[in-house]
Amino acid sequence: MSLSLIYYMKLPDYVQQGERMSKRDEYLETICQAWRDITQNNVFALQAPSIEQWKGILEEEMSEYVELFITPEDNLAINEAVLENTWSAFICLMNSIPLLIIGKPGSSKSVCVEQLVKTLMISRNKHPKLAKLPCLHSELFLCSPESRPDALIE
């Protein structure tokens, strides 16, 4: 999961002209092959998943977290961007890892973070998985071309 958060999510998921697969798939192919090379002579080692299995595991993990933070009453379409943004934001938040979510306007960046914060601040007692988490204090800073570094401190 950490390899997915650190590297996989940062790579483009579309096939570029002249390429046979996306950068994400190339990354997973490399990781899975390295895993197979390391474990090939060890019958007790956990076998490497295929690219599709890795994606399935990751999607299942992300979906479980999204279900905690986004409900049908929120009227939010659960697409790949929502899955990735919500999962990444939660994992980074719980591990005190700074996170920059960069994307086009309307790509669910702010709404995912808002839902996450709302659930962790208001509705956390409704979810047994979230009840034991530490209290949360939220500060939001939206960047623009006019943003200055010292504005973060203010």
Side-chain angles (χ1 to χ4, degrees), residues 82-95:
V82 170
L83 287 170
E84 290 180 7
N85 291 340
T86 303
W87 182 72
S88 298
F90 179 70
I91 298 299
C92 288
L93 180 69
M94 291 297 103
N95 291 288

Side-chain angles (χ1 to χ4, degrees), residues 65-94:
Y65 282 101
V66 167
E67 289 173 8
L68 291 174
F69 300 110
I70 299 172
T71 64
E73 295 83 39
D74 295 321
N75 293 319
L76 183 63
I78 307 299
N79 58 25
E80 188 175 359
V82 170
L83 287 170
E84 290 180 7
N85 291 340
T86 303
W87 182 72
S88 298
F90 179 70
I91 298 299
C92 288
L93 180 69
M94 291 297 103

